[in-house]
Amino acid sequence: MSIADVVRTAADRYGPAIAIEDSRGTRTFTELSDRAHALAGGLRGLGIAVGSRVVVLLGNSVEAVEVDLALALGGFVRVSLNPRVGPADWERVVGDSAPDALIVDPRVDGAAELVARTTSTVITVDPSASAAPSLEELATGLADHAGMPAPAPDSLCALHYSSGTTGVPKGAERTHANRLASLAAMRDHVLAGTLDGADPAVFLHAGPVIHTSGLFVLPFLEAGGRQVLLDHLGPAGLLDAVEAHAATHTALVPTVIARLLDFDDDRLSVLRHLRMLAYAGAPMPVEHIRQAYHRITPNLVQYYGMVEAIPPLTVLTAADHHRGVIGNADLLESVGRACPAAAIRVAANGDPVPDGEIGELVVAGPAVSPGYHNAGTRTDLGKSHVDGRLHTGDLGYRDLDGYIHLTGRSKDMIITGGYNVYPREVEAAISAIPGVDDVVVVGLPDEVWGQRIVAAYTSAVGAHVDGDVVLAESRTRLPDYKRPKAAHRVDRLPVTALGKVDRVAAATLLDALARAAS
Ligand code: AMP
């Protein structure tokens, strides 16, 4: 099976039904297939060779899906820029990936600068914006469904950039086989059972379709569901959108679910119809999982993965959430069980450790990226791929029932007074203090301790928990070497462009607060 098969079979089966829509328009399954094929052919017609990298700067829109599929059909390598991070980051990604073409929405802030600086072919979404060829022109050209041989499974379909160790982003390579592995695991383990029945399924892409939300594009095409793509939705906009589009499925990062929990139950009731609320990308405090289960929907699914090993590698199913909420609370601290295709080993110094012991998660199987772009010339990429296995940098253990528990990232581990402390454990203890909403714990340099543990936290709506209370409570909940030396209440934890808690920014903030207090 290939991505082309998914697109064409969906067009054959569901032809005139709406496949995707955004605030400006819709595409049926037939239109989507025709336009993606025409676009792929049009790009070749412009002289873009198979295997070329194509940088894409588009918000959540029908065009983002068309372009994604067209690049896959035509054998091009998609390099998506996150519209939220701005020109400085984009330039670094463009510098490393050296694309042959750019597909740009000129309405994205900063897009004009990017276009002005490039010597590559530029295709714009807005035909009136410039003399560059427009996406519309290419997408309405001749659609040759048979003339394009499917790219080989191990050929690349994308580079996924994340920040490197020296500030130059690193591009994890993603193959067609990686993406198809994700499709199968999403269908069988994350969406399992939620697409059955006569009622139409509607997926709301509320987060960036270039990241975790995009993993649902192929499964929903395959199942004939409708996908709604919306941009810049705040928490209130998200509730309105779920109601307006009768969405049945969505996937969010935990920080967005935390914001939803600020609404009262009456306002949250529109989410009751969700058949699946998936979350991933960062740990979610257990108290938030419980509240989400009771106040939003019991149909929660968690999965785990990363750009270097396409999600889902593990899944905590809706049934697991149910068992966790009614009694087995340990389950809610876990990221679930490994999907059958993902070989996850917990290892220390390369050797497997017994169940229950903490080690680094090492992954093999069809989800794992072959490596980083430019790995031959860059010296700042580290050695995460060894003999086809990915050393994830995530620490954790497998319990006796096979559930994987993450304890943190190896680079976030705090060493204080000679002890290793996993921030995750301290964060779990502090977030369980009544009135605390969210918390991040980091190690700051300390002359005596090497590093000292400090925390920034937010109070739940209507609560006002003092730093002294957090420190006093920590004394009853944690052994002394794991207790924070300072706890600062803040209005919001700093988050990255993808909505994850930003530990580097949190350390800078906590350092500044400590200096101001001394
Ligand atoms: P990224 O490569 O940007 O998608 O980030 C991947 C990292 O996010 C993983 O290596 C984990 O550290 C973290 N992560 C992903 N999913 C989860 C999850 N369900 N729970 C906790 N951390 C997660």
Side-chain angles (χ1 to χ4, degrees):
M1 196 186 50
S2 66
I3 295 175
D5 291 333
V6 177
V7 175
R8 287 175 208 154
T9 309
D12 288 347
R13 276 198 199 146
Y14 315 114
I18 290 175
I20 51 173
E21 70 176 87
D22 63 14
S23 54
R24 291 193 299 269
T26 60
R27 305 279 188 262
T28 65
F29 284 88
T30 307
E31 286 166 347
L32 178 59
S33 172
D34 287 349
R35 288 174 62 97
H37 280 86
L39 184 51
L43 290 170
R44 289 194 184 175
L46 290 177
I48 319 289
V50 172
S52 297
R53 291 173 292 283
V54 177
V55 156
V56 180
L57 177 59
L58 300 172
N60 271 10
S61 56
V62 291
E63 287 85 5
V65 176
E66 281 174 356
V67 167
D68 170 31
L69 298 177
L71 295 180
L73 294 175
F76 306 106
V77 182
R78 174 171 64 87
V79 183
S80 287
L81 302 179
N82 186 339
R84 298 181 194 184
V85 303
D89 258 56
W90 301 338
E91 290 296 340
R92 290 191 209 111
V93 171
V94 171
D96 189 63
S97 59
D100 284 348
L102 264 61
I103 301 181
V104 177
D105 184 343
R107 290 164 294 207
V108 173
D109 267 355
E113 288 170 50
L114 186 77
V115 169
R117 260 185 252 166
T118 187
T119 52
S120 315
T121 305
V122 176
I123 296 116
T124 68
V125 211
D126 181 359
S128 60
S130 72
S134 83
L135 191 82
E136 196 54 28
E137 252 168 76
L138 300 182
T140 49
L142 184 69
D144 180 2
H145 293 84
M148 241 171 290
D154 59 355
S155 62
L156 300 187
C157 65
L159 298 180
H160 281 260
Y161 276 86
S162 57
S163 49
T165 49
T166 56
V168 182
K170 51 184 183 179
E173 297 173 326
R174 188 162 281 174
T175 63
H176 284 257
N178 291 153
R179 212 163 157 192
L180 293 167
S182 171
L183 163 61
M186 276 289 176
R187 177 220 298 132
D188 296 345
H189 305 292
V190 174
L191 290 159
T194 67
L195 295 171
D196 309 340
D199 292 341
V202 181
F203 188 93
L204 176 67
H205 291 281
V209 72
I210 60 164
H211 203 250
T212 193
S213 204
L215 300 169
F216 291 90
V217 166
L218 293 181
F220 264 71
L221 267 186
E222 188 183 63
R226 187 156 56 95
Q227 305 186 49
V228 180
L229 296 115
L230 297 175
D231 236 344
H232 306 298
L233 282 179
L238 198 151
L239 293 176
D240 292 342
V242 168
E243 189 172 21
H245 296 277
T248 54
H249 294 70
T250 194
L252 303 171
V253 286
T255 46
V256 173
I257 297 183
R259 296 285 65 78
L260 291 179
L261 292 171
D262 291 344
F263 289 99
D264 61 32
D265 289 354
D266 195 35
R267 187 81 172 86
L268 289 178
S269 63
V270 292
L271 302 177
R272 276 274 143 207
H273 304 293
L274 287 175
R275 283 187 238 159
M276 181 202 78
L277 171 56
Y279 62 95
M284 177 140 138
V286 169
E287 184 48 32
H288 289 186
I289 301 179
R290 282 185 195 286
Q291 282 205 38
Y293 181 94
H294 290 299
R295 300 183 50 218
I296 296 182
T297 170
N299 302 325
L300 297 171
V301 183
Q302 180 184 182
Y303 59 88
Y304 157 72
M306 64 211 67
V307 294
E308 293 86 350
I310 190 166
L313 301 175
T314 70
V315 178
L316 190 72
T317 64
D320 291 330
H321 280 85
H322 179 67
R323 289 196 295 127
V325 166
I326 62 170
N328 187 353
D330 255 13
L331 275 180
L332 303 181
E333 307 250 4
S334 116
V335 293
R337 276 198 266 225
C339 297
I344 301 184
R345 183 197 267 183
V346 184
N349 303 320
D351 294 324
V353 300
D355 286 348
E357 276 184 30
I358 294 176
E360 182 182 17
L361 270 54
V362 179
V363 187
V368 175
S369 153
Y372 293 109
H373 183 61
N374 283 338
T377 50
R378 285 183 58 173
T379 52
D380 59 337
L381 297 174
K383 285 208 186 75
S384 46
H385 295 83
V386 183
D387 300 333
R389 290 179 184 280
L390 177 76
H391 292 248
T392 62
D394 285 324
L395 301 173
Y397 63 94
R398 192 192 306 265
D399 69 21
L400 295 176
D401 297 320
Y403 286 82
I404 306 236
H405 299 249
L406 297 186
T407 50
R409 309 255 322 141
S410 51
K411 67 178 168 49
D412 299 331
M413 196 171 66
I414 303 170
I415 305 181
T416 182
Y419 288 104
N420 291 351
V421 176
Y422 302 104
R424 180 83 204 271
E425 193 187 343
V426 182
E427 286 161 4
I430 295 179
S431 66
I433 298 172
V436 169
D437 188 30
D438 218 346
V439 57
V440 58
V441 163
V442 299
L444 291 182
D446 187 278
E447 279 177 18
V448 178
W449 301 100
Q451 283 185 300
R452 68 179 187 284
I453 301 174
V454 289
Y457 66 94
T458 57
S459 291
V461 172
H464 187 87
V465 185
D466 227 42
D468 291 341
V469 173
V470 171
L471 295 180
E473 285 282 340
S474 299
R475 281 196 280 279
T476 66
R477 293 164 191 258
L478 288 162
D480 60 357
Y481 70 97
K482 292 183 183 173
R483 291 174 198 153
K485 299 259 183 290
H488 297 274
R489 192 182 54 242
V490 294
D491 290 337
R492 278 280 150 87
L493 299 185
V495 290
T496 66
L498 291 170
K500 300 190 191 197
V501 172
D502 186 336
R503 290 182 179 276
V504 177
T508 310
L509 171 73
L510 282 163
D511 191 42
L513 289 170
R515 283 170 203 279
S518 65

